[in-house]
Amino acid sequence: MIEARWNGAVIASSDDTVVVEGNHYFPADAVDAAVLRPSATTTICPWKGTAHYHSLHVDGADNPDAAWYYPDPKAKAENIRDRIAFWKGVQVG
């Protein structure tokens, strides 16, 4: 079972992650939706497409743009559709 933890809380847990470029992409339904906040941030990856972000909110603390996902990935990255990955201090393992 792979878990994502931030600010003392488990924010995602799954035995079905997809690893791309060293990042675990969790199924969206394995992520605690209560900790996700909308973000207007996007970035572009040449082979995956446009990434959209969520900020995390756990126990009164915020971690801006610490989660990302590809709502419409390019064909070579189709395996991460409907999945969320983390960074910026989120411990995954």
Side-chain angles (χ1 to χ4, degrees), residues 69-92:
Y69 63 100
Y70 291 86
D72 189 25
K74 292 185 177 185
K76 288 186 179 182
E78 186 61 36
N79 62 333
I80 58 172
R81 181 183 295 275
D82 299 325
R83 293 178 175 270
I84 300 174
F86 302 96
W87 68 318
K88 296 179 80 174
V90 177
Q91 296 179 336
V92 177

Side-chain angles (χ1 to χ4, degrees), residues 1-2 6 10 32 39-40 46 53 60 71 85:
M1 186 69 66
I2 303 295
W6 185 72
V10 174
D32 181 357
S39 170
Y53 290 77

Side-chain angles (χ1 to χ4, degrees), residues 41-67:
T41 301
T42 61
T43 58
I44 297 173
C45 172
W47 74 272
K48 290 184 295 240
T50 301
H52 293 251
Y53 290 77
H54 291 293
S55 295
L56 300 177
H57 183 81
V58 176
D59 293 331
D62 293 306
N63 191 345
D65 299 334

